[in-house]
């Protein structure tokens, strides 16, 4: 999705800050980029395509010294990717430049009104109405800040907006339903859609709330409300450091993030569980005793939600996972004891926020499970359980899925009240990071990926806790390799999908332990084998599934609840190596965005 960066600073090369900030936002997904600098006049450079294209086109002296500036990565919604549709957009005079994330719902009416009064538009975007509205307000003789405020008051929809004006030495910004965070440096102030954009300059941040306005000047900043009253804001420190957002020698962020999982899982668990007593010490979960739990989430987070719901059902709690986009318009019935849990890595996914807002409307308690401190979800929910995975830059979620799964285990442990069972699981959780490390050190995934890289389609099957991982394995493979992949509950194969299975389509089967689920899944594996399809068994070797498999990817033995997390690491690696061999854009797959802030 679109990304915004802004900078106002003494002794800063503003253009450099903007360009490197845009690189820090690349992971969100984009198709064009641009910058605007103001220093008595407004200068703009914008291009369809990559940030490298913008860098090649930009005049290094743009804005001169001591300029203030804004930058933008665009992910098209209104109008195709083109130089004209790229942000920043300007008014008729070229003295007001604006960048926008989100969707302006009433833009058609505003555009018509502005055109009737003589404004000329140069793009197809909804965003372009904003600089023209600012221009109109300026013509009434008000200050730049008041003109920006008046323009924003006309706009309906979701937005993060930032502007520079020829007539002002400040960057002006505001938000509604779209993230925007300020960075507080020694002699400069920054703003961005997400912290990695300015993390190399400062780790001190101020989270802007909906309806608040920020003003960044050379080294100072202030926040006010819609009426211009100053709002007292506190500065927080983000725990991430710039090293965590660098590629650190890996070919791709995704591979780095897959390898970061042992550390991420340790951080997720640190100080939160006590193996001796079987107890969980997580402030966000204290006193929770819901009669039923409804999970809402999207994509990979939805798979973590499916997994979490299974864990809770094993604890005897009514639990169900819903696709947030469905729940938002067709919510499930709730009662006083219902807890709605939103799982979202970014904390900004519009569908998930919308589902949680629906829950709030029904006065139901909400819990956010997220990775991002200060994210919208963490500020809107009654409770927040942070997964502590550290920044995830690759568009495809990898380490955050594993950490979400561990957070789901913490929730299940907290609600279970069965100390002895808990002790066993906590012991297994303690060993999990080193077991993930063992897989990373020893995986045959690259070999398997290479063997099947030309297959026309791939299928993934798993039963019970392995079901969500079958879906996740398929999602990961399709999003980064662009190959057709589908995941099924193992027992469903024979109810239709088996028609697609041929000797050319590998079937990845997750089978751990030797219980009933394993035995039944082996039955499904035999059905596949009988159709001459190559089976790749992801297994701990406890059962004899290897006898029916063409290839085996081994995982260490663990508690049955945690086996899917280990199996998933093997599947992540297979997806990564298939995509790598095909030369795909792994960290920024086509058409996808890291933070999906539109419904
Ligand atoms: C897949 C992926 C997406 C996200 C989904 C929800 O690899 O990354 O499917 O899981 O867009 O995002 P969050 O977790 O930020 O709500």
């Amino acid at each position: 999705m679109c990304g915004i960066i802004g900078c106002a600073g003494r002794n800063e090369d503003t253009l450099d800050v903007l360009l490197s900030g845009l690189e820090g936002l690349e992971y969100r997904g984009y198709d064009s980029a641009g910058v605007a600098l103001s220093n008595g006049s407004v200068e703009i450079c914008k291009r369809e395509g990559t940030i490298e294209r913008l860098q090649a086109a930009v005049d290094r002296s743009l804005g001169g010294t001591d300029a203030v500036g804004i930058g933008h990565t665009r992910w098209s919604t209104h109008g195709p990717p083109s130089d004209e549709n790229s942000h920043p957009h300007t008014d008729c005079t070229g003295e007001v430049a604006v960048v926008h994330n989100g969707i302006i719902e009433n833009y058609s009416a505003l555009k018509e009104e502005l055109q009737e009064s003589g404004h000329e538009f140069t793009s197809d975007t909804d965003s372009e109405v904003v600089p023209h509205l600012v221009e109109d307000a300026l013509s009434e003789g008000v200050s730049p800040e008041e003109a920006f405020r008046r323009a924003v008051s006309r706009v309906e929809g979701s937005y993060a907006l930032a502007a520079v004006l020829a007539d002002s030495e400040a960057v002006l910004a505001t938000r509604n339903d779209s993230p925007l965070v300020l960075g507080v440096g020694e002699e400069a102030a920054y703003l961005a859609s997400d912290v990695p954009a300015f993390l190399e300059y400062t780790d001190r941040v101020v989270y802007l709330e909906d309806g608040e306005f920020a003003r960044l000047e050379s080294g100072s900043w202030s926040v006010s409300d819609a009426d211009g009253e100053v709002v007292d804001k506190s500065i927080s420190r983000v725990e991430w450091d710039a090293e965590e957002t660098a590629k650190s020698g890996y070919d791709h962020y995704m591979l780095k993030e897959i390898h970061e999982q042992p550390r991420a899982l340790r951080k997720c668990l640190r100080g939160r569980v006590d193996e001796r007593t079987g107890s969980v010490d997580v402030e966000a979960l204290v006193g929770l005793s819901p009669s039923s739990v409804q999970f809402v989430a999207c994509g990979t987070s939805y798979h973590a939600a499916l997994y979490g719901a299974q864990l809770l059902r094993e604890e005897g709690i009514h639990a169900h996972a819903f696709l947030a986009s469905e729940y938002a318009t067709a919510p499930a019935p709730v009662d006083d004891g219902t807890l709605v849990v939103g799982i979202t890595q970014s904390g900004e996914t519009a569908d998930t926020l919308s589902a949680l807002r629906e829950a709030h409307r029904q006065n139901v308690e909400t819990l956010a499970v997220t990775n991002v401190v200060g994210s919208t979800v963490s500020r809107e929910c009654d409770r927040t359980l942070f997964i502590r995975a550290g920044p995830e830059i690759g568009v495809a979620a990898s380490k955050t899925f594993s950490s979400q799964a561990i957070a789901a285990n913490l929730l299940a442990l907290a609600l279970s009240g069965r100390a002895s069972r808990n002790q066993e699981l906590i012991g297994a959780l303690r060993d999990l990071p080193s077991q993930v490390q063992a897989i990373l050190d020893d995986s045959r995934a690259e070999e398997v990926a290479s063997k099947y890289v030309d297959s026309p389609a791939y299928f993934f099957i798993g039963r019970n806790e392995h079901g969500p991982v079958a879906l996740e394995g398929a999602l990961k493979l399709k999003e980064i390799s662009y190959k057709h992949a589908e995941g099924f509950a193992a027992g469903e194969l024979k109810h239709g999908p088996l028609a697609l299975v041929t000797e050319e389509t590998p079937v990845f089967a997750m089978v751990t332990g030797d219980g009933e689920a394993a035995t039944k899944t082996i039955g499904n594996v035999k059905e596949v084998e009988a159709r001459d399809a190559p089976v790749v068994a992801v297994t701990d070797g406890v059962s004899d599934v290897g006898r029916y498999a063409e290839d085996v990817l081994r995982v260490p033995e663990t508690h049955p609840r945690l086996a899917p997390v280990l199996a998933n690491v093997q599947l992540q690696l297979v997806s990564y190596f298939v995509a790598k061999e095909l030369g795909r854009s792994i960290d920024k797959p086509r058409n996808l965005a890291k933070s999906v802030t539109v419904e």
Side-chain angles (χ1 to χ4, degrees), residues 298-301 343-346 349 395-397 404 475-476 479 596:
C298 307
T300 291
S301 296
I343 304 188
T344 162
Q345 179 285 126
S346 61
T349 299
V395 163
Q404 287 168 341
L475 177 66
K476 209 63 24 188
E479 72 180 316
V596 185

Side-chain angles (χ1 to χ4, degrees), residues 78-131:
H78 295 66
S82 68
D83 288 354
E84 293 72 30
N85 287 337
S86 309
H87 297 218
H89 291 288
T90 53
D91 66 327
C92 300
T93 65
E95 296 196 342
V96 181
V98 172
V99 291
H100 165 228
N101 290 358
I103 290 181
I104 297 177
E105 282 156 11
N106 60 338
Y107 90 98
S108 298
L110 290 172
K111 187 168 177 175
E112 218 170 285
E113 176 193 316
L114 287 158
Q115 281 173 324
E116 272 169 21
S117 63
H119 289 268
E120 284 181 16
F121 283 71
T122 54
S123 79
D124 309 316
T125 65
D126 53 342
S127 317
E128 197 187 345
V129 296
V130 181

Side-chain angles (χ1 to χ4, degrees), residues 274-468:
D274 184 339
E275 194 176 341
R276 225 172 11 92
T277 58
S279 62
V280 175
D281 182 11
V282 181
E283 207 187 313
L285 306 179
V286 172
L288 266 185
S289 170
S291 56
S292 67
V293 176
Q294 297 176 356
F295 289 90
V296 291
C298 307
T300 291
S301 296
Y302 171 66
H303 300 150
L306 285 170
Y307 168 79
Q310 287 190 14
L311 302 188
L312 294 193
R313 287 199 294 270
E314 280 172 21
E315 296 298 344
I317 298 162
H318 290 285
H320 196 86
F322 296 87
L323 287 165
S325 53
E326 293 288 305
Y327 190 98
T329 45
V334 291
D335 59 35
D336 286 351
T338 306
L339 173 72
V340 175
V341 181
I343 304 188
T344 162
Q345 179 285 126
S346 61
E348 303 294 347
T349 299
D351 288 323
T352 308
L353 292 173
S354 186
L356 288 164
R357 285 172 192 152
E358 184 51 45
H360 282 138
R361 267 192 286 281
Q362 303 198 50
N363 290 322
V364 173
E365 184 162 26
T366 55
L367 168 71
V369 178
T370 187
N371 195 29
V372 182
V373 177
S375 56
T376 304
V377 81
S378 70
R379 285 176 295 118
E380 291 192 2
C381 282
D382 302 317
R383 301 162 178 256
T384 302
L385 173 55
F386 289 105
I387 63 169
R388 302 179 182 165
E392 188 176 69
I393 306 293
V395 163
S398 55
K399 64 174 175 174
T400 54
F401 174 82
S402 300
S403 298
Q404 287 168 341
I406 299 317
N409 272 285
L410 291 175
L411 179 62
L413 283 164
L415 299 184
S416 121
R418 286 186 277 183
S420 61
R421 267 179 51 140
N422 280 6
Q423 281 162 331
E424 194 192 332
L425 179 57
I426 292 171
L429 281 166
R430 182 203 52 218
D431 296 338
L432 193 70
S434 45
Q435 292 181 321
V436 171
Q437 189 62 55
I439 295 173
L440 296 171
D441 292 343
D442 234 14
S443 176
R444 288 186 56 240
E446 186 166 7
E447 198 185 311
V448 168
S450 181
K451 182 165 169 185
Y452 297 112
V453 70
D454 294 323
S455 306
Y458 304 76
F459 301 110
F460 295 79
I461 58 171
R463 195 175 286 264
N464 303 144
E465 280 102 345
H466 284 306

